[in-house]
Every structure is written in C-alpha cells, then in structure tokens.
Amino acid sequence: LGHLNWPPFCLVMLNVTHLTHQVTIDRFSRKVTVDSQPVWPPVSRHGFRIEDTGHMYVIRTPSHIQIQWLHSSGLMVLEASKASEAQGRGLCGICDGDAANDLTLEDGSVVGEAEDPAPFLDSWQVPSSLTSVGQTRFRPDSCATADCSPCLRMVSNRTFSACHRFVPPESFCELWIRDTKYVQQPCVALTVYVAMCHKFHVCIEWRRSDYCPFLCSSDSIYQACVAACEPPETCQDGLLGPLDPEQCQVLGEGCVCSEGTLLHRRHSALCIPEEKCACTDSTGVPRALGETWNSSLSGCCQHQCQAPNTIVPVDLGCPGPRPETCPRFGEVALLLPTEDPCCLGTVCVCNQTLCEGLAPTCRPGHRLLTHFQEDSCCPSYSCECDPDLCEAELVPSCRQDQILIVGHLGDSCCPSYFCACGDCPDPIPECQEGEALTVDRNTTELCCPLYQCVCESFRCPHVQCGMGTALVEVWSPDRCCPYKSCECDCDTIPVPRCHL
C-alpha cells in the first residue's frame, strides 16, 4: 500500500469474538483512542496492546495481528500470525497475503489496483477528521505505459544497492509511477524506498545537508538508522523496556536527542537535560528540582518543584491575611489592588442582588417605609397609614333620627362616613294574651318605628267545662281576652226516667 495517499491517521478495525473495536491514532499529536475513548500508550483495552516506543507505535490485537507504525517515515508494517483467523480491515488493508483485496471499502466492495484509491480512503475516514477529497495523487500509468527510467536511475544508485535484493528497483518503480507526489518529489520517493529497506534491516545513509535533508529541532540530531524497537532514554525509564526481539526488528530514521539530553516523554519530541526530569508543570514544560515559575499571565501565581513529581504553590508573602467573609449580611469581599500588584486588599461592599425579596406594594392610603439594621446592608420594608394620601370622600346627610359615624372599613386606613341609627327612646311594648305586636306602616323606614298591640280574639285560649258545670266569662276593658271559669250548673245534668 506504499503508493496510497495516506492521511495523517490510520483507522484499524478488527472483528474479535463478534465484537468490533476501533483503534484511531493521530500521527501528529500521537493521540490514541480505542472505541472513541482517549488513552495514552502504553495501554491495554479490549485485548489491544498499544505502545509508543518513542520511534513508532506498536499495536498488538487480540487476533494476533501486529502493526508497527514509524513516526518519522509513516511506514506501516503489518504482521499476522498464521494461526489467526480474524482479519483486520481499514486503511491498513487486509493482511491475508492477497494484494488484490487490500483496497476493500467499508461496505465490502473492492477498488481495483489500477483504479483511483480515493474512494477507498474516503470510505475509512474517521468522522470529523481530515479528508483526502481533492488531494488525490493516483496516476493510472505503469512502467509499461510510461517512462520509469528516472526512478530506475535514482534507486539503482550504488548507495541503495544493499537493498536491491530485498526491494527490487523495478517493483518499487511500479509504485513510483502511479503516485504523482513520488514523481514530482524525489526526496519523498527515496524516503519511502529506504523505509521499505528498513523493514529488512538494511541501513542506508543517503541524506546530506544539501540533498534531502532531514530537519530536526535544535536539541536533537539526525540519525539514519534507529532501532525503532528499542525505546530511547526518557524521564520515565522503566515504564517500557525493549520489545521482544523475536516480534520486533525494524529500523527507522529520525531525530535523536543530543549527547547529555534525553526525551521528556516518549510521546513527545522534546529533549531536555536530565535535571529537568524532576517535575512537569500544567502546560507540559519540564522543570528542575527547586525551580520556581510563573503559572499565570500576570506572574502573581507561582509554583515550585519541591520534590520529584511534587509541585507546590509559592507564597508571595503578602502582608496580613485577607478576610474571607464580611460581618454584615448582604456584603461581599471585593479584592482591590494595593501598592504590590500581586497582593490584593479587601473591602466589603453591599451586593443588593443577595438581598431577599422585593419592596412590597402598599395599599391605597399607605406609604412605603425603608428600614436599615446594623447587622445587614439589606433594607427591610413596611407600609404605614398616611391619611394625607386618602382620596376625599363625600360626607352624607343624615336624617333627624340618624347620627353620623366616622370609621374605617376593614383594614383600610382611610376614613369612611355613614349614617346609623341611635338608641330609641321608647322601648318595644310587651303585648298581653291574645294581642299581636304590629308596626305602624308609616314608620317602617324610621330608625325607631311605632309599635302597638292589636287584640285578636282568636288568639284567646279556649276553656272546656265538664258535666254539671257551665263556662262563665268576665270581660275587662284592660284586657283583650275575658276571664274564663267553670261554675256549677245542675240544670245541665240529664235526669233519667225510671220504669214503674
């Protein structure tokens, strides 16, 4: 697959025990995700083992497929165990010894060897990542239809002769002619050829400062042949030892730390003196033991590497402690700059947003009063009656038998006027037996109507006399009902007739 236009990442997808796991590695940031979960190598998850030797990634799968991906050249070496039945799919192809099915799309269809591999690359793009659309480098030519002599002259150079029996120039040039970038940029093409030679442990020193130079940072130097399976010395030595030589033997080229320095982390290309290995600050910068640094833009927040992997904040020595709370309710401590820009003073200010409740709406005739207490900066409110705020009310005209009363209706503080009846001079009469209390119709609307007792004889009690007595009534002008009594009367007794 050396002729493909590789994106800066690779999606390795394997079916293991009927489960599909995705391993994604960003070649530039060296960020690794397994099933979309970010991890840093070395890591073991779902049976995968991912390690970063500092020169390359080594991925071992549960189905005994090993992938070696070199950081510098991008060469990817796939090796599958003969006993493995599971096969990998993705940008890495299908490692089954059949080159015809390497360009298998995610839907299972296969791109022909002479066809543009762009659909294959797009099929395996990681969502929301880079895309190869519009960046195709594929050419449908072959050495039989186009001129491969520039490639043959370049690779047949004596410098590369040690590799010719492993990677013949003719087979490489068949890849070369089909890649626009290889044809236009000889340094890229030779980098790929040498990377293929490294797979067979053939070391070739071919770069010069004036010919295809390999750029390294100022704290590292270029090395043509690096044992990629042997981790370089880092601040974290002991976390990952040399890989099994029977399973990992590959060369690479790249930058190594200058003498007297070592790698800060295997996933970082930063070379530092050994004394800088003591601590690493929050931005990833290595720090020496006892070193103090500013951890904020203002320079007022400082930290110090007190012991290996122990970072503590540094006290700036500001005079006096600052109060954290204010004595009054509703106040907050406001930090103010002092003469020293890194030392702040405190002043308590009232924060009205902390005050509970709002001012009430007073009823008509009331006014709102605001009160303040010594232990709070929040006001309290009350409503007070103010007759001056009452609307003028019409005073009614009362009758002669009424009196004017001034009062308050309900909980209103505004005066209300109304006419009411006073005490009546004459009491209500008590009627005798047989009399009914009536009111004079002409006085019903007055506060003190005229009452009178009217005699109704049917209301008088009835007296039933017994045999030999008779009812006697005696009338009196002061009474409605007569006095009734039963007196003896023999004439009322029937006389029986006796027989002879």
Side-chain angles (χ1 to χ4, degrees):
L1 304 180
H3 64 286
L4 293 182
N5 176 21
W6 290 105
F9 52 83
C10 181
L11 171 64
V12 183
M13 188 172 178
L14 296 105
N15 294 319
V16 182
T17 63
H18 307 290
L19 295 176
T20 299
H21 300 288
Q22 293 184 347
V23 180
T24 307
I25 306 174
D26 189 312
R27 178 179 167 191
F28 294 147
S29 68
R30 302 196 188 177
K31 180 182 179 182
V32 182
T33 59
V34 177
D35 290 344
S36 302
Q37 297 297 319
V39 293
W40 282 105
V43 66
S44 295
R45 183 175 294 177
H46 303 303
F48 289 87
R49 175 68 180 176
I50 305 173
E51 297 172 332
D52 186 350
T53 69
H55 300 298
M56 67 175 177
Y57 290 111
V58 178
I59 305 172
R60 296 189 179 94
T61 74
S63 54
H64 308 291
I65 294 178
Q66 178 173 280
I67 304 169
Q68 299 169 356
W69 192 11
L70 278 76
H71 298 327
S72 59
S73 64
L75 176 71
M76 186 172 292
V77 181
L78 280 75
E79 296 175 336
S81 171
K82 294 181 179 180
S84 173
E85 296 181 359
Q87 295 177 349
R89 298 186 302 130
L91 287 178
C92 307
I94 299 179
C95 192
D96 59 355
D98 182 8
N101 63 359
D102 279 347
L103 301 184
T104 300
L105 279 66
E106 192 172 10
D107 60 5
S109 59
V110 180
V111 176
E113 186 176 357
E115 300 178 39
D116 189 347
F120 166 75
L121 297 175
D122 296 337
S123 171
W124 292 105
Q125 291 293 327
V126 177
S128 70
S129 67
L130 300 178
T131 176
S132 65
V133 176
Q135 302 174 3
T136 180
R137 292 157 41 182
F138 176 76
R139 292 176 45 166
D141 294 327
S142 67
C143 288
T145 61
D147 184 11
C148 288
S149 58
C151 172
L152 292 173
R153 287 195 301 269
M154 178 176 61
V155 180
S156 298
N157 189 292
R158 186 174 58 183
T159 303
F160 308 100
S161 59
C163 185
H164 289 169
R165 67 188 184 97
F166 299 103
V167 184
E170 294 78 9
S171 62
F172 174 77
C173 290
E174 284 290 345
L175 301 177
W176 174 86
I177 195 61
R178 290 162 57 187
D179 193 311
T180 303
K181 190 171 185 178
Y182 292 171
V183 173
Q184 296 175 350
Q185 301 183 27
C187 290
V188 175
L190 289 178
T191 299
V192 174
Y193 183 79
V194 171
M196 291 181 176
C197 298
H198 285 162
K199 161 61 181 159
F200 301 98
H201 223 263
V202 177
C203 180
I204 300 176
E205 296 186 7
W206 62 284
R207 296 184 186 271
R208 297 191 305 268
S209 59
D210 58 346
Y211 183 74
C212 301
F214 196 101
L215 301 179
C216 295
S217 60
S218 59
D219 56 1
S220 60
I221 57 175
Y222 169 73
Q223 190 167 314
C225 298
V226 176
C229 298
E230 295 183 7
E233 185 180 3
T234 70
C235 292
Q236 295 179 317
D237 271 348
L239 297 180
L240 178 65
L243 302 183
D244 187 354
E246 295 184 359
Q247 297 183 0
C248 184
Q249 291 184 1
V250 64
L251 289 179
E253 62 176 345
C255 300
V256 297
C257 290
S258 305
E259 185 176 356
T261 62
L262 69 167
L263 276 180
H264 180 218
R265 297 287 187 266
R266 286 197 173 87
H267 57 264
S268 169
L270 180 62
C271 295
I272 61 172
E274 186 174 359
E275 60 268 15
K276 289 282 188 178
C277 285
C279 296
T280 301
D281 65 17
S282 59
T283 62
V285 177
R287 302 291 180 177
L289 197 64
E291 183 177 354
T292 301
W293 63 93
N294 292 328
S295 49
S296 65
L297 295 178
S298 64
C300 294
C301 183
Q302 297 186 349
H303 285 80
Q304 184 183 58
C305 179
Q306 190 178 63
N309 297 320
T310 303
I311 298 176
V312 296
V314 177
D315 185 8
L316 298 177
C318 293
R322 294 197 306 263
E324 297 181 359
T325 58
C326 293
R328 300 176 65 198
F329 177 77
E331 286 184 332
V332 294
L334 184 65
L335 300 179
L336 297 177
T338 61
E339 296 179 358
D340 187 344
C342 289
C343 295
L344 299 177
T346 304
V347 61
C348 292
V349 295
C350 191
N351 187 356
Q352 293 288 346
T353 60
L354 300 177
C355 298
E356 298 179 357
L358 299 174
T361 301
C362 294
R363 300 187 304 274
H366 290 72
R367 61 179 178 178
L368 181 67
L369 297 180
T370 304
H371 311 278
F372 287 92
Q373 299 176 348
E374 293 184 359
D375 60 347
S376 174
C377 75
C378 295
S380 58
Y381 304 95
S382 64
C383 292
E384 184 181 73
C385 182
D386 188 354
D388 295 338
L389 299 178
C390 296
E391 297 181 358
E393 187 172 346
L394 182 64
V395 179
S397 297
C398 298
R399 301 193 305 265
Q400 292 181 354
D401 61 335
Q402 293 177 327
I403 59 175
L404 181 64
I405 296 178
V406 181
H408 299 275
L409 294 176
D411 55 357
S412 173
C413 75
C414 295
S416 297
Y417 302 92
F418 54 93
C419 296
C421 293
D423 295 333
C424 294
D426 299 325
I428 298 176
E430 294 182 2
C431 296
Q432 297 179 2
E433 188 178 40
E435 294 179 336
L437 183 65
T438 61
V439 180
D440 188 346
R441 293 182 179 178
N442 296 328
T443 64
T444 56
E445 299 297 329
L446 300 177
C447 290
C448 298
L450 296 178
Y451 296 92
Q452 59 185 358
C453 292
V454 178
C455 182
E456 296 179 350
S457 59
F458 67 87
R459 297 181 183 275
C460 294
H462 296 279
V463 178
Q464 188 73 28
C465 292
M467 185 178 294
T469 63
L471 178 65
V472 178
E473 295 181 345
V474 180
W475 293 89
S476 172
D478 298 331
R479 288 177 55 86
C480 173
C481 296
Y483 292 102
K484 294 181 180 181
S485 62
C486 292
E487 295 183 359
C488 185
D489 185 1
C490 295
D491 293 338
T492 63
I493 301 174
V495 179
R497 290 184 179 183
C498 302
H499 296 285
L500 293 178

